[in-house]
Amino acid sequence: MDITTGNGNLPKVVIKTAHSTAEIYLLGATVTHFQKHGSEPLLFVSRESVFEEGKPIRGGIPIVFPWFGPREGKAQHGYARRATWEIVGNEVLADGSVRLTLRLPKAAEAAGYPEHSVSYTVTVGKTLRCELTVANESKNDPFSFETLLHTYLLLGDIERVSIGGLSGARYLDAVDNFTEKTDAAEAITIGEEVDRVYAGSTVSTELVDPVMGRRVRTDKSGSKSTVVWNPWIAKSQRMEDFGNDEYRHMICIEPGNVRADAITLKPGEATSLRIELSESPF
Ligand code: BG6
């Protein structure tokens, strides 16, 4: 593991293993790169992304915590993705994977919440594994919050991919005022702005990408929600930190726990959200 200087002079951890390389910014504990040797990168990062302390990175895997979406008078998607995390561990596992452990420092915005701690491990090997653990350290108060690992997957052509695993599942359509819907198609295809919250959903998903010649699987645990998002044309043009044409090369598949699936921990309880990203040939 090396600590280097990344874009915007921000500290960036570089991990190299026998199977892969990965990069993680301490800003937001954002994994911005994972690539198996001989394969293309798995994650999308916008060429327009800002790399500046206090601002989220547009791409990779930003962490949404402790709230999802807008909050009156507060920053969208919480403060975890804007904070500079601390390194607390770094180890090589028996199979040669490398595990980095980070901790979210106490943020001023956390003041209104019960005492809690947040840690994140990133395990780099043949696959990429990320685990977000939240513990309620308060003696008396329950702690309620939302989480998402807001994963930007790189793809060849948005109009030629499909997403398997969510067929027939119930979702809230954020583009249509969170109306509840189901998509009966065997696999989801994208031809317009998509912003869906699959609720009560614990299944794995698979992005099938014939252009890049691969399938990217997202396995998850400790998660009852999956958000699927592609901004399409108009929203891409409105976002300052995103290229107008970049919607063609990304999809966000975001495991977590949001809205009705938000988590409440009793005093002393902890919970972990885990994802594993892996790829196989098309
Ligand atoms: C998704 C939301 O998780 O994140 C979308 O469902 C939102 O509604 C998107 O537009 C990106 O959010 P942000 O704050 O990174 O622009």
Side-chain angles (χ1 to χ4, degrees):
M1 180 197 104
D2 289 315
I3 302 178
T4 62
T5 301
N7 294 335
N9 283 328
L10 297 175
K12 180 177 81 173
V13 176
V14 177
I15 295 174
K16 295 188 171 147
T17 74
H19 302 287
S20 57
T21 58
E23 296 180 359
I24 302 110
Y25 278 80
L26 299 188
L27 172 60
T30 312
V31 181
T32 50
H33 179 67
F34 174 77
Q35 184 168 17
K36 265 173 69 178
H37 299 330
S39 300
E40 299 289 321
L42 218 62
L43 301 173
F44 163 91
V45 178
S46 171
R47 62 173 186 267
E48 304 289 344
S49 179
V50 176
F51 287 85
E52 208 179 299
E53 238 175 77
K55 300 203 171 150
I57 294 171
R58 176 68 69 197
I61 313 181
I63 298 172
V64 172
F65 171 85
W67 63 84
F68 163 66
R71 274 284 180 290
E72 212 183 323
K74 293 182 175 178
Q76 159 128 323
H77 289 346
Y79 47 79
R81 64 177 183 160
R82 298 162 194 274
T84 298
W85 293 52
E86 296 162 353
I87 298 175
V88 290
N90 162 39
E91 56 189 317
V92 181
L93 307 185
D95 66 355
S97 327
V98 174
R99 178 184 292 159
L100 174 72
T101 304
L102 301 159
R103 175 175 58 202
L104 177 64
K106 299 252 177 281
E109 294 101 318
Y113 290 98
E115 192 71 17
H116 61 274
S117 66
V118 186
S119 66
Y120 190 52
T121 63
V122 179
T123 308
V124 181
K126 283 186 188 161
T127 65
L128 174 66
R129 282 180 280 157
C130 303
E131 176 171 351
L132 180 74
T133 300
V134 181
N136 180 357
E137 294 180 337
S138 137
K139 295 235 165 4
N140 308 305
D141 301 319
F143 176 30
S144 298
F145 55 88
E146 296 168 294
T147 54
L148 277 182
L149 295 177
H150 196 304
T151 311
Y152 288 75
L153 297 177
L154 179 68
L155 52 81
D157 179 354
I158 189 70
E159 292 192 79
R160 294 187 57 196
V161 298
S162 62
I163 302 164
L166 295 168
S167 172
R170 188 171 57 89
Y171 68 88
L172 303 174
D173 189 352
V175 184
D176 187 13
N177 211 15
F178 290 96
T179 307
E180 193 175 310
K181 300 181 180 174
T182 50
D183 188 339
E186 202 164 296
I188 299 166
T189 52
I190 315 278
E192 59 186 343
E193 182 181 350
V194 167
D195 193 354
R196 299 178 176 183
V197 180
Y198 286 86
S201 174
T202 56
V203 296
S204 301
T205 53
E206 189 172 61
L207 175 70
V208 181
D209 184 347
V211 175
M212 290 186 81
R214 68 182 181 188
R215 298 164 183 270
V216 179
R217 192 178 165 85
T218 304
D219 291 304
K220 64 173 191 168
S221 68
S223 161
K224 289 188 178 161
S225 320
T226 297
V227 174
V228 176
W229 178 61
N230 180 287
W232 211 248
I233 300 166
K235 193 160 183 176
S236 296
Q237 290 170 352
R238 287 199 301 273
M239 291 194 294
E240 282 177 7
D241 59 348
F242 192 82
N244 289 353
D245 55 348
E246 287 185 312
Y247 73 94
R248 296 205 72 87
H249 302 295
M250 53 69 71
I251 183 91
C252 288
I253 299 181
E254 313 162 28
N257 298 283
V258 299
R259 298 178 69 94
D261 298 319
I263 289 178
T264 299
L265 295 177
K266 291 186 189 134
E269 279 185 343
T271 186
S272 293
L273 162 63
R274 298 186 194 87
I275 61 167
E276 180 168 23
L277 303 181
S278 56
E279 65 169 278
S280 57
F282 172 61

